[in-house]
Amino acid sequence: MFQDEAGFGRINKPKSCWCEKGIRPTVPCHHIREYRYAYGAVEPETGEGYFLIMPYCNTNCMNAFLEHLSIAYPNDIIVLVCDGATWHKSKGLKIPDNIFLTFIPPYTPEMNPIEQV
């Protein structure tokens, strides 16, 4: 299976607006930064996939994803191909017994089929 994360969110940025000359407008704005991350693993031959929505991209969330992936496929041995994100190679990563990680070369996202999902 090939694995990757995708971030979804919003950032509000104040924008300029038109007003009469000599007047400085007051535009209320919330500075909001909200993100959610879709962790996913796809088997490219069959298209079968497993996805999990997480609040962060870090080692703890990767551990939770690996645990849930292992539970979803308890009778399978999974070779999980990942990119070089730091949380994929963290010393705090807890890899279940039925999952083995391998990595694509740096700066080669085209080698990861899940990038197209």
Side-chain angles (χ1 to χ4, degrees):
M1 295 183 99
F2 287 82
Q3 190 276 333
D4 202 12
E5 303 85 20
F8 300 91
R10 67 181 184 150
I11 300 175
N12 286 353
K13 294 181 181 179
K15 303 282 184 186
S16 57
C17 63
W18 292 95
C19 67
E20 294 181 33
K21 189 174 184 173
I23 297 176
R24 185 176 189 141
T26 303
V27 180
C29 176
H30 294 183
H31 294 281
I32 300 172
R33 288 178 169 78
E34 296 176 343
Y35 298 97
R36 293 294 176 262
Y37 299 90
Y39 282 66
V42 172
E43 205 294 312
E45 190 171 312
T46 64
E48 186 175 350
Y50 182 81
F51 296 88
L52 193 61
I53 304 299
M54 303 294 284
Y56 306 105
C57 273
N58 61 22
T59 302
N60 291 336
C61 290
M62 186 67 182
N63 281 335
F65 175 74
L66 291 174
E67 180 182 339
H68 283 92
L69 182 64
S70 176
I71 292 168
Y73 298 95
N75 300 321
D76 295 335
I77 300 297
I78 301 169
V79 176
L80 196 62
V81 181
C82 303
D83 58 20
T86 56
W87 52 90
H88 296 164
K89 297 181 175 185
S90 170
K91 291 183 185 203
L93 203 59
K94 298 172 188 161
I95 304 169
D97 292 337
N98 66 331
I99 296 178
F100 297 92
L101 297 184
T102 188
F103 301 95
I104 61 173
Y107 308 108
T108 56
E110 67 277 1
M111 293 181 71
N112 194 343
I114 196 170
E115 293 283 349
Q116 307 303 317
V117 176

